[in-house]
Amino acid sequence: ITIHLDEGVYSPYQTGEIYSLNLLPNITLKGSGINQTILDGGLLSFDPYGEYPTSFPTSMILIDNCENINISDLSIVSGNHQTHDNSGTAGGINIFNSNLTLENTNVSGHRYGAISAFSSELTFTNTIVSRNSGGLFNSAGIQLNNSYANFHNLTTVSYTHLRAHETKANIVCRL
């Protein structure tokens, strides 16, 4: 099943979007372009000193026990850490026992990391991971826990790094 997203910013504060997106197996999430379709978790718009919010920014995408997940041609920005029964989960994308392909994507500006993978297989092609902050149990960029990743043209910028923990397979980097 392919879900096509039009141009625009999809945000809790601008369009009322509710995150996390909990993806099902065999889903392709396809935007209109890396700079045209933006999933915004609202972290940068969140005012902790303002009016009491009805919801706080959370992690953006949850992939749990899913095969054949593809995300392409969009940006995933400004998510916040949310616990999913594992320490070390990220503000951007959390993957558990799944496989994910990211192509022509931007995963940036997340609190407590961009991507956390647990017992999963990932492929990154033409992907940007930048300006993410880490935490005690989180990498600022991509954290692999007993996972395998294949990188093709990955760009990491500013406070972003890769951390492999208990990863049994090789990490293949083609930058």
Side-chain angles (χ1 to χ4, degrees), residues 43 60 76-79 91-92 107-114 131-133:
L43 184 62
M60 302 290 297
I76 302 164
V77 301
S78 298
V107 186
S108 299
H110 299 284
R111 184 168 176 247
Y112 293 112
R131 301 179 335 273
N132 299 288
S133 68

Side-chain angles (χ1 to χ4, degrees), residues 102-122:
L102 289 172
E103 187 171 359
N104 301 322
T105 56
N106 175 9
V107 186
S108 299
H110 299 284
R111 184 168 176 247
Y112 293 112
I115 300 167
S116 289
F118 298 83
S119 302
S120 296
E121 293 182 25
L122 295 85

Side-chain angles (χ1 to χ4, degrees), residues 17-123:
E17 303 306 317
I18 298 173
Y19 296 106
S20 291
L21 297 178
N22 296 315
L23 298 183
L24 299 173
N26 302 306
I27 294 288
T28 295
L29 194 59
K30 183 167 179 51
S32 297
I34 196 169
N35 295 316
Q36 287 76 36
T37 304
I38 301 168
L39 305 182
D40 181 353
L43 184 62
L44 296 179
S45 301
F46 178 68
D47 180 4
Y49 303 106
E51 236 178 84
Y52 189 78
T54 55
S55 67
F56 294 93
T58 66
S59 59
M60 302 290 297
I61 296 176
L62 174 61
I63 302 167
D64 193 2
N65 290 306
C66 293
E67 294 299 317
N68 196 27
I69 300 294
N70 298 286
I71 299 174
S72 66
D73 302 310
L74 55 81
S75 290
I76 302 164
V77 301
S78 298
N80 189 35
H81 162 78
Q82 177 182 354
T83 301
H84 295 288
D85 297 327
N86 282 296
S87 53
T89 56
I93 303 171
N94 291 293
I95 307 115
F96 302 94
N97 305 306
S98 301
N99 68 26
L100 167 68
T101 297
L102 289 172
E103 187 171 359
N104 301 322
T105 56
N106 175 9
V107 186
S108 299
H110 299 284
R111 184 168 176 247
Y112 293 112
I115 300 167
S116 289
F118 298 83
S119 302
S120 296
E121 293 182 25
L122 295 85
T123 300

